[in-house]
Structures are given as structure tokens and as C-alpha cells.
Amino acid sequence: MNFKALAVPNGRPTSYICRGFRFPTDKEYHITKFAPVQSNLDVLHHMVLYKSQEYFGDEYRDCASMPENSEPIFAWAAGMGDFELPPDVGIRVGRGVAEYGVLQVHYDNPSKLGGLEDSSGIRMEMTRYGIT
């Protein structure tokens, strides 16, 4: 899940921007690895990935809070790399479990610079056959 050519809000020192998406829903899946995609480290502070049964919408918007009943499943902060879950472990998403996700990105722009863009996100590896 990446943000595409998002204009980082200017005129404020800190911003939380979210975008929703849909997990594949043909079956239940298990997320086994998270890989951060870091685009603009000058302002990218941290990212939190949530799963939810509620649709958040796929438009970018300010967000300080998540939909009710959403659950954080991964958080990234500057300096972290990929995170792979141990063998035989996965985070359940998809049909009947959590059909939607929300990526929340925190931007730290203390100089309130304008004209900045970012397309950071989190790449996920999933298996559709479950963990055995």
C-alpha cells in the first residue's frame, strides 16, 4: 500500500494523512511480511497500518483517529527495515476476517515547507493458503 504523489501538507508542523484500501476478499489471507517503502525521509516520521471491517475510503484525508473496531497490525518508524513474522505465524485478513485496511502516515514538517511530495507506504507479503 503506497501513497501516490501525495502533496505533504504545508503550513503545519505535523500532519496525519490516511488512505483506505481493500484486502483481497476471495479467500482468507495471512500477512507474513511487511516491507516499508520510504519516499521522503525529510518529513516521513512514522506509519501505522490498520485492519478493519469498515470501509474508510480510498481518498487521502487528514486523520487523527481510525474507524471504530479497527486494529493496528504493523507500525514503522524511521530506521526500521522489513519485518518478517516467524514461521507458522501470520496476520489474518480478507474474506470474513478484515476486508479493509487503512494506512496512516505521520509527517513531521517543523519548518512548514511547501512543495514536498511523498509516496511512502508498506508492502505486504501474503499467503492465501494459511499457515500450517
Side-chain angles (χ1 to χ4, degrees):
M1 173 67 204
N2 287 27
F3 282 161
K4 299 291 183 190
L6 170 71
V8 176
N10 61 6
R12 332 182 247 194
T14 191
S15 300
Y16 290 86
I17 304 295
C18 291
R19 180 173 178 226
F21 63 96
R22 187 176 187 137
F23 286 111
T25 57
D26 58 325
K27 296 183 178 239
E28 180 180 308
Y29 288 80
H30 293 83
I31 302 171
T32 58
K33 183 177 180 178
F34 300 93
V37 177
Q38 305 158 46
S39 170
N40 190 339
L41 290 174
D42 291 334
V43 291
L44 180 63
H45 189 266
H46 71 268
M47 299 183 281
V48 182
L49 183 64
Y50 295 83
K51 67 179 184 176
S52 176
Q53 284 291 55
E54 294 180 41
Y55 183 59
F56 186 81
D58 61 359
E59 298 295 320
Y60 302 122
R61 61 178 162 171
D62 285 332
C63 61
S65 61
M66 294 293 96
E68 255 186 66
N69 302 318
S70 62
E71 179 181 340
I73 58 174
F74 179 71
W76 172 90
M80 289 177 60
D82 294 359
F83 179 77
E84 190 164 358
L85 284 89
D88 299 329
V89 176
I91 297 173
R92 297 173 56 216
V93 297
R95 184 173 63 193
V97 181
E99 296 186 5
Y100 302 102
V102 179
L103 179 63
Q104 180 188 61
V105 180
H106 174 217
Y107 295 105
D108 186 33
N109 187 3
S111 299
K112 302 178 186 176
L113 300 173
L116 301 175
E117 289 190 349
D118 183 62
S119 58
S120 296
I122 298 172
R123 191 172 294 126
M124 295 169 271
E125 290 184 16
M126 295 185 268
T127 178
R128 61 188 233 164
Y129 301 108
I131 304 299
T132 58

